Amino acid sequence: LVVSIIGGGIVGASIAWRLAQRGVQVVIHEAGKLGGEASWAGAGMLAPGGEVASLEGWRGMALASARMYPDFVRELRSESGQGIDYRACGGLELAMGDAEAAELDARAARQAGIGIGSEPARHPSAAHARFYPGDAIVDPRDVMAALRVALSRRGVRIEEGARIADPANLSADVVVVAAGAWSGELGVGPPTEPVRGHLIGFRLPPGTLGPILRHHHTYLLQRSSGFLIAGTSEERVGFQREVDPPTASDIHRRAAGLLPLLGLLQPDDVWTGFRPATASLEPVIGRRGPRTWAAYGHHRNGILLAPATAEAVAGEITASSGMG
Ligand SMILES: Cc1cc2nc3c(=O)[nH]c(=O)nc-3n(C[C@H](O)[C@H](O)[C@H](O)COP(=O)(O)OP(=O)(O)OC[C@H]3O[C@@H](n4cnc5c(N)ncnc54)[C@H](O)[C@@H]3O)c2cc1C
């Protein structure tokens, strides 16, 4: 069985890894650099506490994927010999007034019903807070570097600078479209739109921040190296990569509201990335034709959803070919 994967982000590369482990011959066709797009830009929050309050649509998969993450990272570290910055640091969600506090507690009650635990907490910037011990963070650039090594060791061919215009031109037995925000152009399923996000980063001493700190769409997290990331924005401006200084300043202002120290500093880095979104904001995962699979549209949670997506797609492909 030969499988061609179009797109070498965290979704395509994780599927390739799981297929190669099952003995499948895999080629990745990547228009740019492996892990050079959204999977380079993403913050790497693995935070059902902040994102999930029901089991509808992708959310059930997100919970399953969050549970898979520790083993996914352990196995990938051991196969690649590479370090991966993954930390089960928890997340602290802030409420700024009585109405927000009531809303946060009501959401926490719904979350408890689907197995997402949290407890009341305190924070100097907020009227009320809740701590989510199950939330974690990972550096997606580490994951991509480790996947590159693990894939090479398993004989996966990685063709970079290879943009595929039409999946029908590939001769493989199975073609998987995992081209992120560009997937819609390949015509195997619903259209996609890029939802641009800005992030800003500060070099700080490790340990400046404990858990992820969140208030609505503003969040802070810190890598083990000390690099602290603040986000974010959601902009529908097409594939425009340029940093928009007012958007970055707005994130900076909101971030300083959560951690006043940041108001005294200038960001050391600012970058953007394209979240892959379908109109429904649901990912498209599964078989789309006799030899075509799709795995795209993971929007805000593709880093989180990658392990479960890879298991599902690799499992289906091998089962359908009698290898499973
Ligand atoms: C600012 C920001 C913050 C985020 N934070 C988080 C977070 O905290 N947690 C989380 O879980 N997710 C987060 N995300 C979302 C996450 O980054 C994405 O959902 C995920 O990276 C999508 O992975 P992917 O492999 O589908 O897409 P990508 O990483 O974009 O990979 C798709 C690849 O396909 C290639 N490609 C495109 N067209 C073709 C073609 N025709 N032929 C060949 N190759 C092609 C591209 O070059 C690209 O490398 C964030 C995203 C952004 C932008």
Side-chain angles (χ1 to χ4, degrees), residues 12-273:
S14 299
I15 294 169
W17 182 43
R18 292 308 192 196
L19 284 170
Q21 286 179 324
R22 290 164 163 86
V24 176
Q25 203 182 316
V26 186
V27 185
I28 296 179
H29 311 268
E30 164 53 51
K33 250 182 75 214
L34 193 85
E37 293 289 353
S39 303
W40 170 86
M45 274 188 300
L46 310 172
E51 300 279 322
V52 174
S54 78
L55 295 176
E56 274 168 55
W58 59 271
R59 295 168 190 82
M61 188 180 219
L63 288 186
S65 211
R67 284 192 291 270
M68 286 178 183
Y69 240 98
D71 284 340
F72 179 83
V73 165
R74 207 172 297 124
E75 200 181 337
L76 191 50
R77 277 183 189 139
S78 116
E79 271 205 24
S80 66
Q82 303 274 305
I84 297 175
D85 187 21
Y86 168 86
R87 279 193 307 129
C89 56
L92 196 61
E93 187 96 27
L94 307 185
M96 294 308 182
D98 290 348
E100 283 189 13
E103 210 176 289
L104 183 58
D105 287 343
R107 197 187 72 171
R110 291 199 301 280
Q111 290 175 316
I114 54 170
I116 301 175
S118 66
E119 59 212 41
R122 298 192 154 277
H123 189 271
S125 301
H128 178 56
R130 290 197 78 90
F131 180 64
Y132 287 83
D135 286 359
I137 54 179
V138 73
D139 186 339
R141 299 179 194 178
D142 286 354
V143 174
M144 291 310 304
L147 279 169
R148 181 189 283 278
V149 174
L151 291 171
S152 303
R153 288 189 176 169
R154 288 198 174 263
V156 172
R157 208 163 83 224
I158 302 171
E159 296 180 353
E160 297 180 285
R163 177 173 294 280
I164 303 300
D166 184 353
N169 295 339
L170 295 170
S171 60
D173 303 307
V174 168
V175 176
V176 181
V177 173
W182 297 264
S183 298
E185 296 166 8
L186 292 161
V188 306
T192 42
E193 188 189 2
V195 178
R196 186 173 75 177
H198 278 70
L199 293 175
I200 64 177
F202 301 85
R203 276 192 290 276
L204 285 168
T208 309
L209 190 77
I212 304 165
L213 207 53
R214 290 191 296 264
H215 179 239
H216 294 313
H217 280 328
T218 306
Y219 56 76
L220 306 178
L221 59 93
Q222 192 176 30
R223 305 264 182 255
S224 296
S225 66
F227 193 65
L228 185 145
I229 296 174
T232 184
S233 59
E234 287 201 13
E235 309 149 78
R236 295 187 181 252
V237 294
F239 288 104
Q240 253 178 273
R241 287 182 192 282
E242 296 70 32
V243 164
D244 177 50
T247 303
S249 301
D250 179 57
I251 294 170
H252 190 182
R253 182 187 55 75
R254 288 187 275 132
L258 302 188
L259 184 64
L261 160 73
L262 299 180
L264 308 173
L265 306 171
Q266 280 309 308
D268 294 297
D269 200 1
V270 182
W271 67 98
T272 66

Side-chain angles (χ1 to χ4, degrees), residues 7 9-11 29-31 38-39 43-45 164 299-304:
I10 195 167
V11 173
H29 311 268
E30 164 53 51
S39 303
M45 274 188 300
I164 303 300
H299 194 224
R300 294 166 49 85
N301 288 290
I303 313 297
L304 170 60

